[in-house]
Amino acid sequence: MLAMPSGIPACPDVARQHRLAAQLAHMVPGAATIHVSLTDPKQAWPHPHAVAKDVAGDAIELSRTTARVAARWVLRVWPDADWSWPHTFDLAAATLTRSDLVAAVGRGR
């Protein structure tokens, strides 16, 4: 595949994104979205962190290992994303979108 001058492929690897969505859906049953960031609230230094949510928006409990592995997988599929902001990976559509800071922290604070 031809690459643009920046080295970014002209077409994103959509098959890779769909495989990742299938793997994460299998790894975290019931998850609709995975919120990924580099700010684990339990760590002083930046660490990959993920929070899984179901269709209703309720958090699904993940072990520390599962959360870190899921976050790393998403980070590797989208290395060029601006990871200074949290992102949401929609498992049904296999798309990554930047999360709003208000949605990531929660309303009413």
Side-chain angles (χ1 to χ4, degrees):
M1 176 184 321
L2 297 176
M4 297 187 313
S6 64
I8 299 171
C11 299
D13 188 1
V14 178
R16 185 175 184 197
Q17 297 166 2
H18 285 281
R19 283 194 311 269
L20 176 62
Q23 288 173 331
L24 289 174
H26 179 71
M27 188 167 78
V28 185
T33 60
I34 306 284
H35 300 279
V36 179
S37 71
L38 289 176
T39 54
D40 185 345
K42 297 177 184 175
Q43 302 291 328
W45 295 98
H47 287 282
H49 179 67
V51 176
K53 295 195 176 187
D54 61 12
V55 177
D58 298 326
I60 297 173
E61 188 173 340
L62 299 175
S63 69
R64 186 178 77 170
T65 303
T66 302
R68 186 144 314 155
V69 167
R72 284 180 181 164
W73 286 359
V74 173
L75 287 164
R76 286 180 182 153
V77 172
W78 284 278
D80 296 330
D82 179 10
W83 289 107
S84 60
W85 292 92
H87 287 72
T88 301
F89 181 45
D90 183 352
L91 298 180
T95 57
L96 185 76
T97 56
R98 192 174 109 181
S99 299
D100 185 10
L101 185 60
V102 174
V105 180
R107 297 189 186 268
R109 285 188 155 195

